[in-house]
């Protein structure tokens, strides 16, 4: 292998500037080991493809790269920098010399690249360059969804049409998009229901399930009750959709026999598919499919391409798939914005003549003809538009809409109009230790007007039960109280990031004196500590010095033995026996609590502050979103929108620089 290849030297310069990572360079070197004659275009393309995967993109768009390299790669657009008295040209100049024709000619004929067949590490499909693994995931997704788009019904039974009308008779929105969503989902084996917070996705889903269950009774060949599975990407999202469905079922006007077949609780996708510990494989796959007639996935915007491909690969051909989520939220942390890609054009109502005919026939709603031509997936996608949570006087709702539309000036005006929008607060902070931030975090509060974390700490201290029978109820109250407020960050590191803020919040809440932990066996016995005795670990390095009552923790690595998934949140509490345990909600029973020793947990981190990405699937009464001093690739319109829409009752924007919010609203990752 040529260690001194010119491209590797250029990549090293990009590495020094932070434009590429060591992984990107390693992948380019790997390609060189596979083909010592690999040309510059192949090695550059490999390094840049690796870079795109880290940015969440599953392919390198060569056409876009040839036109706008800086925008495509999210790197600075400055070509020149000064080094002493010498002018140094940044290596982006090299890429600007590559036209689309240059890229294609350079990649053509390489033994490392194919158009799909074979076992090459790279696949070129049109203008898109894929890592083979992600190309295969894309093929699974495309084939599975396309096979489900074809309508399987031309009519619906009269009894079901009456039921459809009855379930939505009280809806006043015109056109009734919830009713249209059900009508379209009854037509084929695939449907997407998207919409912002409070638009009624779960309510619509519950009514749809009642209709699908009744429809199965009239379908030829269905001699048993349909098997319905409900899942979400994270434990938090699964718990929330379980709670929402339970609430919706209480209001559903259908027979109890139908209600009994609607799932009351959701599992995580990992549990649904059956993760194999230590591998990327699942128990359920094409040769061992799920046993299901209907599969519903909530918070689908959080699903990456690899997970979506695994789900689709495990679905029986006859199963119906329904995806729910907000297409405008942040995409998954991993590569592949599946929901956003599937929902492109959903807001245009671009239904063709057969689809509009079906909608009119089944729901009685006549839609105007669209001047735009929608895709096949658009025909099975409905965007809910009316927010039942955020009315015209809701600052949160108005702000979210302005941010989502990229209307920065309008968003600024809404934020500044606190007289009209009393659910919004805006603070420009001087530094990370600003007393106003400390006051917000530590303010006394109540469940009606939560301001900070003091409320959940008061529940711990003031409502601790005297008998063991009520400890689960108390722990549930503590967890619910913690959910009334959440600090969200755009970044992990730096003075305005998760890591620094968590340390400061701990100091503010406990004045530097955290509750002393209790030593527990068997780990503590090994270390020479006596079980049941209290120890002060101040200033010492020990596993227990991070544990104290009231510490909220987030799981950062899946543990299938404990059935805890990345993103699950628990709170450290003393149980009735005086032992420090971490209380987690049980997704299978909304009133149940799982008590787990801190020593048994996988990797965890304190969760007073979390990234916006980690907050997806959650809602809090009051959200405080902290923006860093400078714009970064992660600080986009989608991130700000997602942060705002985590708030149910009050939203606070905390800025370290006045113009960063404005820049973020104008910066979209789409």
């Amino acid at each position: 292998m040529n260690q001194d290849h010119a491209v590797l030297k250029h990549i090293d310069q990009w590495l020094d500037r932070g434009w590429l990572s060591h992984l990107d360079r390693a992948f380019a070197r790997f390609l060189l080991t596979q083909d010592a004659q690999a040309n510059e275009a192949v090695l550059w393309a490999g390094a840049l493809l690796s870079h795109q995967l880290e940015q969440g993109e599953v392919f390198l768009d060569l056409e876009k790269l040839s036109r706008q390299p800086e925008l495509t790669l999210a790197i600075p657009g400055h070509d020149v920098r000064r080094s002493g008295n010498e002018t140094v040209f940044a290596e982006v100049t090299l890429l600007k010399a590559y036209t689309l024709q240059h890229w294609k000619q350079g990649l053509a004929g390489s033994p490392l690249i194919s158009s799909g067949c074979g076992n090459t590490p790279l696949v070129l499909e049109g203008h898109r360059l894929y890592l083979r693994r992600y190309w295969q995931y894309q093929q699974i997704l495309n084939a599975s969804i396309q096979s489900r788009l074809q309508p399987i019904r031309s009519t619906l039974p009269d009894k079901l049409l009456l039921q459809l009308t009855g379930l939505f008779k009280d809806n006043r929105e015109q056109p009734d998009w919830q009713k249209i969503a059900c009508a379209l989902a009854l037509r084929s084996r695939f449907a997407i229901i998207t919409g912002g917070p409070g638009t009624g996705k779960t309510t619509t889903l519950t009514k749809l399930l009642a209709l699908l269950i009744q429809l199965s009774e009239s379908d030829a060949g269905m001699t048993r009750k349909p098997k319905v599975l409900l899942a979400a990407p994270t434990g938090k999202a699964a718990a929330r959709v379980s709670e929402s469905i339970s609430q919706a079922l209480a209001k559903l006007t259908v027979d109890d026999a139908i209600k009994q077949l609607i799932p009351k609780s959701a599992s995580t996708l990992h549990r649904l598919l059956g993760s194999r510990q230590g591998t990327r494989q699942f128990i359920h796959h094409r040769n061992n499919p799920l046993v299901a007639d209907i599969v519903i996935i909530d918070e689908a915007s959080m699903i990456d391409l690899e997970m979506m491909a695994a789900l689709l690969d495990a679905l029986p051909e006859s199963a119906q798939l329904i995806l729910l989520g907000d297409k405008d939220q942040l995409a998954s942390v991993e590569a592949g914005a599946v929901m956003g890609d599937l929902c492109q054009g959903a807001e245009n109502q671009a239904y063709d003549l057969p689809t509009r005919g079906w909608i009119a026939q089944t729901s009685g709603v006549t839609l105007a003809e669209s001047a735009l031509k929608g895709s096949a997936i658009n025909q099975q996608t409905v965007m809910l538009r009316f927010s039942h949570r955020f009315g015209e006087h809701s600052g949160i709702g108005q702000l979210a809409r302005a941010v989502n539309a990229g209307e920065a000036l309008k968003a600024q005006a809404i934020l500044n109009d606190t007289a009209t929008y009393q659910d919004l607060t805006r603070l420009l902070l001087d530094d990370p230790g600003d007393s106003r931030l400390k006051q917000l975090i530590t303010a006394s509060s109540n469940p009606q007007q939560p301001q900070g974390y003091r409320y959940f700490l008061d529940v711990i201290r003031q409502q601790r039960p005297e008998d063991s029978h009520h400890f689960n109820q108390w722990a549930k109250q503590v967890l619910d109280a913690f959910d009334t407020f959440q600090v969200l960050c755009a970044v992990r590191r730096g003075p305005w990031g998760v890591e620094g803020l968590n340390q400061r919040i701990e100091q503010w809440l406990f004045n530097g004196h955290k509750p002393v932990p209790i030593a527990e066996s068997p780990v503590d016995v090994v270390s020479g500590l006596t079980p049941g005795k209290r120890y002060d670990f101040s200033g010492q390095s020990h596993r227990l010095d991070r544990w104290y009552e009231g510490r909220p923790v987030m799981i950062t690595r899946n543990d299938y033995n404990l059935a805890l998934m990345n993103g699950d949140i628990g709170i450290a509490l003393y149980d009735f026996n005086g032992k420090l345990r971490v209380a987690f909600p049980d997704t299978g029973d909304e009133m149940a609590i799982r008590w787990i020793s801190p020593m048994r947990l996988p990797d965890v981190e304190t969760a007073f502050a979390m990234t916006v990405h980690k907050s997806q699937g959650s809602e809090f009464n009051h959200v405080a979103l902290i923006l860093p001093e400078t714009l970064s690739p992660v600080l986009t319109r989608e991130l700000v929108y997602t942060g705002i829409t985590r708030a149910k009752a009050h939203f606070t924007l905390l800025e370290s620089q006045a113009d960063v919010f404005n820049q973020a609203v104008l910066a979209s990752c789409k």
Side-chain angles (χ1 to χ4, degrees):
M1 180 184 71
N2 183 2
Q3 297 283 353
D4 298 323
H5 198 291
V7 171
L8 295 183
K9 292 182 178 180
H10 294 315
I11 289 175
D12 284 339
Q13 294 181 13
W14 281 47
L15 192 62
D16 291 341
R17 296 186 182 105
W19 296 357
L20 291 178
S21 69
H22 289 282
L23 179 62
D24 304 333
R25 188 186 192 280
F27 187 63
R29 290 185 61 191
F30 163 76
L31 294 177
L32 201 53
T33 64
Q34 302 302 300
D35 178 17
Q37 305 304 315
N39 61 44
E40 291 189 359
V42 171
L43 299 181
W44 264 121
L48 298 179
L49 173 58
S50 174
H51 168 81
Q52 292 299 85
L53 288 171
E54 293 180 69
Q55 305 304 309
E57 299 285 350
V58 297
F59 59 82
L60 176 64
D61 188 327
L62 297 175
E63 182 179 34
K64 186 178 177 183
L65 179 67
S66 64
R67 289 186 290 104
Q68 299 174 307
E70 300 99 336
L71 182 62
T72 303
L73 302 173
I75 59 174
H78 306 295
D79 271 3
V80 181
R81 65 185 179 91
R82 298 292 298 179
S83 179
N85 295 322
E86 182 185 1
T87 300
V88 180
F89 287 86
E91 301 303 321
V92 73
T93 305
L94 294 173
L95 288 189
K96 287 185 174 179
Y98 278 82
T99 64
L100 178 60
Q101 184 178 4
H102 286 139
W103 280 116
K104 289 206 165 187
Q105 286 177 347
L107 302 183
S110 170
L112 302 174
I113 302 171
S114 70
S115 60
C117 300
N119 197 32
T120 57
L122 301 175
V123 175
L124 182 61
E125 187 177 81
H127 300 154
R128 296 179 174 185
L129 183 67
Y130 290 86
L131 196 65
R132 173 165 292 279
R133 180 158 59 91
Y134 285 93
W135 178 81
Q136 290 172 331
Y137 296 151
Q138 192 69 55
Q139 303 313 299
I140 293 171
L141 184 147
N142 294 343
S144 181
I145 290 181
Q146 288 299 322
S147 69
R148 288 178 163 80
L149 287 174
Q150 191 66 28
I152 58 174
R153 297 182 182 89
S154 57
T155 59
L156 292 176
D158 291 341
K159 182 179 178 181
L160 196 74
L161 291 174
L162 290 174
Q163 184 70 46
L164 176 63
T165 300
L167 286 174
F168 293 96
K169 64 181 180 181
D170 296 327
N171 284 16
R172 298 180 180 179
E173 180 189 2
Q174 294 297 325
D176 190 341
W177 290 107
Q178 293 187 8
K179 189 176 184 181
I180 293 170
C182 287
L184 283 182
L186 293 168
R187 181 169 71 152
S188 74
R189 291 183 289 115
F190 178 78
I192 299 175
I193 302 174
T194 185
T199 52
K201 294 187 291 293
T202 308
T203 300
T204 305
L205 171 66
T206 309
K207 294 177 180 179
L208 172 59
L209 285 175
L211 293 166
L212 285 170
I213 290 169
Q214 293 179 72
L215 184 59
S216 68
E217 297 178 355
S218 61
D219 278 353
M222 180 63 82
T223 59
R224 54 176 175 76
K225 301 297 183 183
K227 175 71 172 178
V228 184
L229 299 179
L230 176 63
T234 66
K236 191 80 171 180
R240 194 160 71 86
V241 69
S242 299
E243 181 180 1
S244 298
I245 281 191
S246 295
Q247 294 171 353
L249 277 174
K251 303 174 184 178
L252 191 62
T253 55
V254 297
D255 293 342
D256 287 342
I258 298 294
K259 289 185 179 183
Q260 292 300 317
L261 296 176
I262 296 176
K264 313 300 187 296
S265 62
S267 71
T268 64
L269 278 171
H270 284 88
R271 294 191 189 110
L272 180 75
L273 296 177
S275 297
R276 293 185 184 275
Q277 193 168 3
T279 74
R280 308 174 80 102
Q281 307 302 314
F282 295 95
I283 293 172
H284 292 289
H285 45 75
R286 183 171 305 177
N287 297 322
N288 182 32
L290 292 164
V291 178
D293 299 298
I294 303 168
V295 176
I296 304 103
I297 308 298
D298 194 29
E299 295 291 351
S301 64
M302 299 171 66
I303 306 176
D304 61 272
L305 178 59
E306 181 176 3
M307 176 56 79
M308 185 64 81
L311 170 67
L312 294 171
D313 195 49
L315 283 184
E317 288 187 11
S318 60
Q320 180 164 13
L321 176 64
I322 301 166
L323 302 178
L324 288 89
D326 185 346
K327 72 179 182 66
D328 296 314
Q329 276 189 198
L330 276 171
S332 164
V333 177
E334 303 298 330
V338 178
M339 186 71 167
D341 291 342
L342 292 177
C343 289
Q344 284 188 10
E347 67 279 4
N348 296 328
Q349 310 170 32
Y351 297 117
D352 58 24
L353 183 60
T355 301
R356 284 185 281 113
W358 173 267
I359 292 171
Q361 171 191 340
T362 54
S363 70
V365 178
T366 302
L367 296 178
E369 183 177 352
S370 173
L372 300 172
K373 183 178 180 180
S375 67
I377 293 177
N378 287 158
Q379 309 310 309
Q380 287 301 122
T381 302
V382 173
M383 180 174 173
L384 306 183
R385 299 152 197 274
F386 180 76
S387 177
H388 300 271
R389 182 187 308 162
F390 302 129
E392 60 179 326
H393 301 297
S394 164
I396 295 173
Q398 295 293 336
L399 181 62
R401 282 188 280 272
V403 168
N404 193 30
E407 297 174 345
L409 293 178
K410 183 176 181 180
Q412 295 274 11
I414 293 169
L415 275 170
N416 294 331
D417 190 2
T418 54
T420 302
Y421 303 117
Q422 298 181 16
D423 55 347
L424 298 177
T425 303
R426 184 180 196 176
L427 294 174
L428 181 60
L429 303 176
D430 296 327
D431 56 69
D434 195 305
S435 60
R436 291 170 296 170
L437 176 58
K438 179 179 179 181
Q439 182 180 5
L440 177 73
I441 298 295
T442 62
S444 298
S445 60
N446 58 64
Q448 284 72 42
Q449 294 293 329
Q451 295 298 315
Y453 286 124
R454 185 66 60 190
Y455 171 57
F456 102 94
L457 292 175
D458 287 345
V459 173
I460 293 176
R461 294 161 184 160
Q462 299 172 9
Q463 299 187 30
R464 189 187 308 274
E466 297 293 331
D467 60 278
S468 60
H469 300 295
H470 294 91
F471 259 71
N472 275 10
Q473 181 181 350
W474 168 67
K476 178 70 165 57
Q477 290 173 330
V478 172
L479 289 163
D480 289 344
F482 180 74
D483 278 349
T484 60
F485 177 71
Q486 184 63 56
V487 176
L488 300 182
C489 303
V491 295
R492 288 194 56 80
R493 295 179 177 83
W496 303 100
V498 167
E499 294 172 359
L501 279 165
N502 271 319
Q503 293 178 11
R504 283 194 295 279
I505 292 171
E506 284 183 335
Q507 293 172 349
W508 290 338
L509 290 175
F510 300 104
N511 298 315
H513 301 288
K514 292 176 287 191
V516 181
I518 292 180
E520 300 177 13
S521 61
V523 174
D524 300 350
V525 172
V526 173
S527 61
L529 305 177
T530 304
K533 181 179 178 180
R534 294 178 182 272
Y535 290 85
D536 186 353
F537 293 104
S538 301
Q540 299 181 35
S541 177
H542 189 277
R543 284 189 69 186
L544 289 180
D545 67 354
R546 295 288 294 149
W547 288 102
Y548 52 88
E549 186 170 55
R551 181 191 180 195
V553 294
M554 176 184 290
I555 302 296
T556 60
R557 176 173 56 84
N558 294 341
D559 187 316
Y560 303 107
N561 293 325
L562 293 176
L564 290 174
M565 298 293 127
N566 188 351
D568 288 352
I569 291 179
I571 295 178
L573 299 170
Y574 286 122
D575 65 13
F576 186 70
N577 297 314
K579 293 183 178 180
L580 194 68
R581 296 285 185 261
V582 182
F584 289 92
D586 189 335
T587 56
D589 182 348
E590 63 179 276
M591 294 307 296
I593 296 294
R594 301 173 61 217
W595 298 85
I596 300 176
S597 167
M599 298 299 104
R600 295 187 61 203
L601 293 179
D603 296 338
V604 299
E605 61 184 27
T606 303
F608 286 117
M610 69 175 71
T611 62
V612 176
H613 265 111
K614 289 288 189 180
S615 73
Q616 292 188 87
S618 302
E619 289 180 340
F620 312 94
N621 285 12
H622 181 190
V623 163
L625 175 63
I626 299 182
L627 301 185
E629 296 172 299
T630 57
L631 199 65
S632 71
V634 302
L635 189 52
T636 62
R637 177 188 312 165
E638 290 78 11
L639 182 139
V640 175
Y641 170 81
T642 303
I644 294 168
T645 54
R646 299 311 90 203
K648 293 192 291 186
H650 200 95
F651 174 76
T652 297
L653 178 68
L654 302 168
E655 300 170 276
S656 53
Q657 291 291 335
D659 196 44
V660 172
F661 172 79
N662 191 63
Q663 293 179 60
V665 173
L666 295 174
S668 175
C669 61
K670 293 181 180 178

